[in-house]
């Protein structure tokens, strides 16, 4: 396409790019703007902000059409020196194939190895660049290295191709490597939008607030579970704005000398005011601003620091254009005076991401990662319930490490210690690598409650078809078919109570629910929560439900719940159990909604439970697990004798008939005892089924005589 003498120019506002476009030099435009510029997909446009850069045109997604914006990533915004919301001018440009480019690393450690140049040429292929631009080469494992384009041949905007010679100039560039951008923060678009309202608008356009006659907001408190992205958001805000950034880690404020802690805090605010507009980010703010009324006598320093921070944030002296961002995972531990408007004007809760949010985070952390064809990020996002951003980053890292461990045997480095590019390029992260990584990474929110759930499926449970169907409908269906529940305006059951004689399989059913549902699973042994200290038992109940809400969808399983919630007023320690029951009742059906959490409980004494606990609204579904009938006993025997060598005289039908009244655990014990008797006979040389002279690898079989002996020995339990 020939460029006109006076190319058409279009003025558009800058918008945030898609996560998958980061580092690719892409500008997404509306079709009408592409027609106005006379460009097609893949053409090059010149973007002019405070400086000029180039990008490759791609059409905008449907939700961004008609808004008069151009979507470019943080690198292109920095190259054009234009922030989100600021206008840039776009013109069609003819990019020539680059003969050579010279790169200056933004960090010194990447310079100096000529072997890197071949890899960089492949990593940057197809990227349009101008002299002075910053480019990013994505390395294996999602890491990246940034460079400044020190020179191009020819001078015009060039397109890096297969024939472009890439040279790395020794020594680091004087330019600083970029920090996090908004595209590096997955799943938190709504939170980022709120922070931009609070931070960018007052710093860039204070005249708007003057015209309205109001003071701009000056404080934002970010709170949420560890690893959800609070610090990352602050780093992105600092990088995307032109404000001076001051980072404070809460504990580093405290000094051993009297008055030094307060003086240090005052000095930081004074420096920020002198270099305004500025942002002060206080990480782990709960370490220096805890509730003063709960401070012990030896914590006078903490009291004074809180008082000093309150005065600096909203005292007699104005702090100017200084915005304070605080981050904590313990918001309720902060002093109440700090959380009022005028100090922290807005509190933003950052929760555990949903499936769509987890997909966005996985897209961020798998950039540049060579994924095999069998890897489905959608499926991975769907099965990682309760994972926060840090957990998903660790999952991707562990999957890459699994790939390296598998490929280590065939890796051979040359005499210079460099792995050949052909071997590096052949590495692929497979679905099995992610499956192995999931065994090592569990949700942060459930780490202290994490229990390894045995791999029990519905096929491992004989009979009980009605019970299994009830559990599937109550637990699995709300997770698999949420749209159907919304369509019929039905809420999923809040609690399921399994009751029945001991040994009928109640706990085994809970294990199958944990495996089959794919939800997070918290197993609580009732008596473990009871403590001799006043308030500790109730606190344990609250903590279990709080963690479950954070990691929803989640199943809480209370085994032997009758020990935790007996009928009130009947026990000698009723004062403790009554408080525990009251807390449990409130958590299951109180003011706070129990969204995404299902309570599963098992007991063999439902008559001992408090009546308020088993009403509809708490335990909506009550499932009686009966003694197995003959058909069920036959299925249980078939499951437990699966893979067991049986003699020809063994009849599973006859065994099912003679074990009338036995529970599932009784049948399991009979099968185990018969096998032990067969082993004893083999070891003592009495087994007629030894086929190879009594060696350890001899083939033995369990006979009818062994089962008769086992039933005679154990049958007194049910006969």
């Amino acid at each position: 396409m020939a460029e006109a003498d006076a190319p058409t120019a279009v003025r558009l506002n800058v918008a945030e790019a898609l996560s998958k476009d980061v580092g690719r030099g892409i500008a997404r435009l509306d079709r009408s703007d592409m027609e106005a510029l006379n460009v097609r997909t893949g053409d090059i446009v010149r973007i002019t902000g405070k400086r000029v850069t180039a990008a490759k045109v791609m059409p905008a997604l449907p939700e961004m059409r008609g808004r008069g914006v151009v979507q470019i990533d943080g690198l292109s915004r920095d190259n054009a020196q234009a922030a989100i919301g600021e206008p840039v001018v776009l013109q069609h440009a003819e990019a020539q194939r680059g003969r050579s480019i010279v790169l200056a690393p933004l960090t010194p450690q990447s310079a100096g190895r000529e072997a890197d140049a071949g890899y960089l040429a492949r990593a940057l292929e197809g990227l349009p660049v101008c002299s002075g631009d910053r480019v990013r080469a994505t390395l294996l494992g999602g890491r990246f290295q940034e460079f400044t384009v020190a020179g191009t041949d020819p001078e015009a905007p060039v397109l890096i191709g297969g024939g472009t010679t890439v040279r790395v100039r020794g020594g680091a560039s004087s330019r600083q490597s970029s920090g996090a951008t908004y595209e590096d923060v997955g799943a938190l678009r709504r939170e980022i939008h709120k922070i931009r309202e609070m931070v960018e608008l007052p710093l860039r356009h204070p005249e708007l607030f003057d015209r309205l006659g109001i003071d701009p907001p000056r404080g934002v408190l970010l709170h949420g579970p560890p690893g959800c992205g609070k610090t990352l958001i602050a780093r992105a805000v600092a990088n995307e704005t032109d404000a001076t950034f001051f980072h404070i880690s809460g504990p580093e404020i405290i000094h051993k000398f009297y008055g030094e802690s307060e003086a240090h805090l005052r000095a930081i605010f004074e420096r920020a005011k002198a270099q305004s507009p500025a942002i002060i980010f206080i990480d782990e703010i709960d370490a220096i601003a805890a509730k003063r009324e709960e401070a012990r006598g030896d914590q006078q320093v903490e009291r004074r620091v809180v008082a000093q921070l309150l005065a600096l944030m909203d005292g007699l002296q104005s702090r100017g254009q200084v915005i304070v961002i605080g981050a904590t995972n313990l918001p309720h531990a902060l002093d109440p005076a700090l959380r009022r408007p005028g100090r922290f004007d807005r509190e933003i809760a950052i929760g555990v991401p949903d499936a769509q949010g987890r997909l966005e985070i996985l897209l961020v952390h798998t950039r540049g990662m060579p994924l095999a064809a069998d890897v489905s990020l959608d499926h991975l996002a769907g099965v990682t319930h309760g994972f926060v951003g840090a957990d998903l980053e660790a999952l991707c890292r562990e999957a890459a490490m699994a790939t390296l461990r598998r490929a280590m045997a065939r890796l051979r480095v040359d005499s210079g210690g460099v792995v050949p590019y052909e071997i590096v390029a052949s590495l692929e992260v497979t679905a099995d690598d992610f499956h192995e990584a999931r065994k090592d990474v569990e949700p942060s929110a459930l780490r202290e409650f994490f229990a390894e759930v045995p791999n029990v499926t519905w096929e491992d449970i004989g009979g009980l078809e009605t019970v299994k169907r009830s559990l599937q409908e109550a637990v699995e269906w709300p997770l698999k078919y949420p749209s159907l529940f919304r369509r019929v305006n039905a809420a999923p059951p809040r609690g399921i109570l399994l009751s029945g004689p001991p040994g009928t399989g109640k706990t085994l059913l809970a294990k199958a629910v944990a495996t089959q549902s794919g939800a997070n699973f918290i197993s609580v042994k009732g008596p473990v929560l009871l403590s001799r200290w006043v308030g500790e038992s109730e606190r344990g109940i609250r903590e279990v439900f709080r963690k479950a809400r954070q990691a929803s969808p989640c199943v809480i399983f209370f085994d032997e719940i009758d020990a935790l919630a007996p009928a009130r007023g009947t026990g000698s320690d009723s004062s403790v159990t009554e408080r525990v029951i009251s807390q449990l009742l409130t958590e299951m059906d109180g003011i706070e909604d129990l969204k995404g959490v299902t309570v599963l409980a098992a007991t063999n004494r439902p008559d001992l439970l408090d009546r308020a606990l088993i009403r509809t609204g708490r335990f909506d579904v009550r499932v009686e697990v009966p003694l197995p009938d003959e058909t069920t006993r036959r299925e249980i025997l078939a499951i437990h004798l699966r893979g067991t060598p049986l003699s020809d005289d063994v009849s599973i039908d006859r065994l099912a008939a003679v074990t009338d009244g036995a529970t599932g655990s009784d049948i399991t014990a009979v099968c185990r005892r018969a096998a032990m008797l067969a082993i004893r006979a083999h070891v003592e040389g009495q087994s007629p089924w030894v086929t190879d002279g009594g060696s350890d690898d001899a083939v033995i079989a369990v006979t009818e005589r062994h089962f008769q002996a086992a039933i005679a020995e154990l049958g007194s339990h049910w006969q």
Side-chain angles (χ1 to χ4, degrees):
M1 188 186 297
E3 187 176 6
D5 294 335
T8 304
V10 173
R11 187 181 178 91
L12 300 172
N13 290 332
V14 174
E16 186 179 348
L18 301 177
S19 178
K20 63 182 180 181
D21 291 345
V22 172
R24 298 170 58 195
I26 289 176
R28 291 192 178 268
L29 300 174
D30 187 77
R31 292 285 185 184
S32 60
D33 296 321
M34 292 174 63
E35 293 175 1
L37 290 169
N38 196 24
V39 295
R40 293 174 295 185
T41 299
D43 287 350
I44 307 301
V45 291
R46 182 182 291 107
I47 302 174
T48 305
K50 296 183 178 67
R51 68 178 299 275
V52 178
T53 189
K56 189 182 297 184
V57 173
M58 293 287 285
L61 296 182
E63 61 267 20
M64 297 299 292
R65 292 173 186 168
R67 297 189 179 184
V69 297
V70 54
Q71 290 179 273
I72 53 178
D73 66 4
L75 288 168
S76 297
R77 295 197 296 269
D78 183 70
N79 290 333
Q81 293 186 8
I84 293 177
E86 292 185 350
V88 292
V89 176
L90 279 74
Q91 294 175 295
H92 178 225
E94 287 290 346
Q96 304 181 53
R97 289 285 176 181
R99 290 187 288 270
S100 67
I101 65 170
V102 180
L103 301 178
L106 291 174
T107 50
Q109 61 266 25
S110 292
R113 284 207 318 189
E114 293 186 3
D116 290 341
Y119 180 79
L120 290 173
R122 294 179 178 89
L124 300 175
E125 188 171 351
L127 190 69
V129 295
C130 298
S131 182
D133 279 357
R134 193 177 76 239
V135 296
R136 175 182 294 181
T138 304
L139 309 175
L140 293 175
R143 298 181 300 108
F144 58 84
Q145 178 61 49
E146 293 186 354
F147 300 85
T148 297
V149 179
T152 64
D153 182 21
E155 287 294 330
V158 299
L159 198 64
I160 301 175
T164 305
T165 302
V166 176
R167 295 196 301 272
V168 180
R169 189 176 67 186
S173 168
S174 58
R175 241 174 124 183
Q176 293 295 317
S177 177
S178 70
T181 63
Y182 291 141
E183 290 85 5
D184 295 324
V185 184
L188 298 176
R189 293 185 181 275
R190 184 174 58 87
E191 290 81 358
I192 288 176
H193 180 71
K194 288 182 179 180
I195 292 178
R196 289 186 57 223
E197 283 182 352
M198 297 284 293
V199 175
E200 292 187 13
L201 197 60
L203 294 181
R204 288 185 178 159
H205 306 289
E207 67 278 1
L208 297 179
F209 294 89
D210 294 338
R211 178 70 181 87
L212 293 173
I214 60 173
D215 292 326
R218 296 292 171 82
V220 183
L221 179 64
L222 306 176
H223 60 86
C228 64
K230 302 183 293 295
T231 305
L232 183 62
I233 284 181
R235 286 168 48 200
V237 170
N239 183 58
E240 294 276 2
T241 60
D242 295 329
T244 310
F245 190 76
F246 295 88
H247 177 263
I248 305 172
S249 177
E252 73 182 20
I253 292 293
I254 305 299
H255 290 258
K256 63 179 179 179
F257 296 113
Y258 190 88
E260 281 294 312
S261 302
E262 303 93 295
H264 188 188
L265 201 56
R266 285 196 302 272
I268 292 173
F269 274 80
E270 288 170 3
R271 285 168 50 204
K273 186 176 179 180
Q275 301 179 43
S276 62
I279 297 172
I280 299 176
F281 175 59
I282 307 177
D283 206 359
E284 305 298 342
I285 193 173
D286 53 277
I288 63 170
K291 294 179 179 178
R292 286 170 290 179
E293 65 270 17
E294 296 180 3
R296 301 188 306 270
D298 59 344
Q299 292 180 317
Q300 295 305 312
V301 175
E302 287 80 355
R303 286 174 178 263
R304 295 197 306 270
V305 169
V306 174
Q308 182 66 76
L309 184 61
L310 295 175
L312 290 170
M313 291 188 68
D314 189 22
L316 293 177
Q317 293 185 350
S318 172
R319 67 175 188 260
Q321 273 191 295
V322 177
I323 293 176
V324 180
I325 302 177
T328 180
N329 58 330
L330 299 171
H332 300 298
L334 295 180
D335 192 274
L338 196 66
R339 300 178 67 181
R340 71 161 175 80
R343 292 188 174 113
F344 283 122
D345 298 279
R346 181 173 293 179
E347 296 185 7
I348 299 178
I350 302 176
V352 177
D354 57 11
Q356 181 59 36
R358 293 193 295 271
L359 177 60
E360 294 179 17
I361 296 172
L362 286 169
L363 287 171
V364 170
H365 292 298
T366 54
R367 284 181 198 151
M369 183 179 287
L371 299 178
D374 62 345
V375 175
S376 171
L377 294 183
D378 290 282
H379 171 73
L380 201 59
V383 298
T384 48
H385 305 293
F387 279 59
V388 294
D391 299 326
L392 294 171
E393 181 182 10
L395 182 71
C396 296
R397 182 173 59 248
E398 289 299 324
M401 291 301 297
T403 304
L404 290 178
R405 284 192 294 269
R406 190 180 66 252
M408 193 59 69
R410 63 189 182 89
L411 281 178
R412 297 291 184 271
V413 298
D414 60 22
S415 57
V418 178
V419 179
Y421 175 78
E422 291 73 17
I423 294 180
V424 176
S426 67
L427 295 177
E428 276 190 338
V429 183
T430 65
D432 289 338
D433 295 328
F434 279 102
H435 179 70
E436 289 299 316
R438 282 194 64 200
K439 297 179 181 178
D440 299 325
V441 181
E442 67 266 9
S444 297
L446 296 182
R447 190 151 289 140
E448 59 264 46
F449 295 107
F450 183 75
E452 189 67 32
V453 178
N455 189 23
V456 178
T457 64
W458 296 124
E459 290 73 24
D460 297 324
I461 301 175
L464 301 177
E465 297 302 327
T466 303
V467 175
K468 289 191 284 189
R469 184 173 182 82
S470 298
L471 290 174
Q472 286 177 318
E473 293 175 357
V475 180
E476 287 188 40
W477 287 9
L479 298 177
K480 292 182 178 179
Y481 314 111
S483 58
L484 295 180
F485 281 82
R486 290 193 297 268
R487 177 67 177 168
V488 299
N489 194 26
R494 187 167 298 175
I496 304 106
L497 179 64
L498 300 175
S499 60
T504 50
K506 299 184 294 297
T507 304
L508 191 65
L509 285 165
K511 293 177 182 179
V513 168
T515 303
Q516 297 288 136
S517 67
N520 290 314
F521 191 78
I522 298 177
S523 179
V524 181
K525 286 85 174 174
V528 173
L529 286 177
L530 296 178
S531 172
R532 61 177 178 172
W533 306 110
V534 176
E536 282 300 306
S537 301
E538 303 92 290
R539 180 178 175 273
I541 294 285
R542 288 196 302 272
E543 192 67 13
V544 166
F545 279 87
R546 186 179 71 84
K547 293 292 185 180
R549 287 188 183 94
Q550 284 185 355
S552 64
C554 186
V555 176
I556 305 175
F557 175 55
F558 288 96
D559 205 0
E560 305 297 342
I561 194 173
D562 51 278
L564 190 66
R568 285 173 284 187
T570 59
S572 58
D573 57 346
S574 59
S575 60
V576 177
T577 56
E578 285 184 8
R579 293 198 304 271
V580 170
I581 294 170
S582 299
Q583 185 67 55
L584 190 58
L585 297 176
T586 304
E587 293 291 346
M588 290 190 67
D589 188 22
I591 297 298
E592 190 173 1
D593 189 21
L594 199 63
K595 186 178 180 181
V597 178
T598 303
V599 180
L600 184 64
T603 180
N604 56 351
R605 292 297 305 273
D607 55 301
L608 296 182
L609 293 177
D610 192 87
R611 293 181 60 84
L613 187 66
I614 58 178
R615 72 161 173 81
T616 304
R618 293 194 172 103
F619 284 110
D620 302 289
V621 179
R622 293 187 60 182
V623 179
E624 179 71 24
V625 184
L627 287 173
D629 56 18
E630 186 171 342
T631 302
T632 302
R633 292 197 299 275
R634 188 182 301 113
E635 293 182 16
I636 296 173
L637 283 164
I639 290 171
H640 288 294
L641 295 178
R642 188 189 304 156
T644 302
L646 302 175
S647 66
D648 294 337
D649 61 344
V650 175
S651 169
I652 292 181
D653 290 334
R654 196 196 70 79
L655 290 175
V658 300
T659 52
D660 185 29
T663 64
S665 61
D666 294 331
I667 296 172
T668 303
V670 167
C671 296
R672 187 181 301 118
R673 185 59 183 161
M676 289 301 298
L677 292 173
I679 293 172
R680 176 191 293 177
H682 166 67
V683 171
E684 295 176 354
Q686 301 173 1
S687 175
W689 300 99
V690 176
T691 60
D692 59 354
S695 69
D696 290 340
D697 295 330
V699 176
I700 66 174
V702 184
T703 68
E704 175 71 15
R705 178 168 54 86
H706 297 141
F707 279 105
Q708 290 177 357
I711 292 173
E713 184 178 335
L714 302 174
S716 60
H717 293 299
W718 71 81
Q719 292 173 350

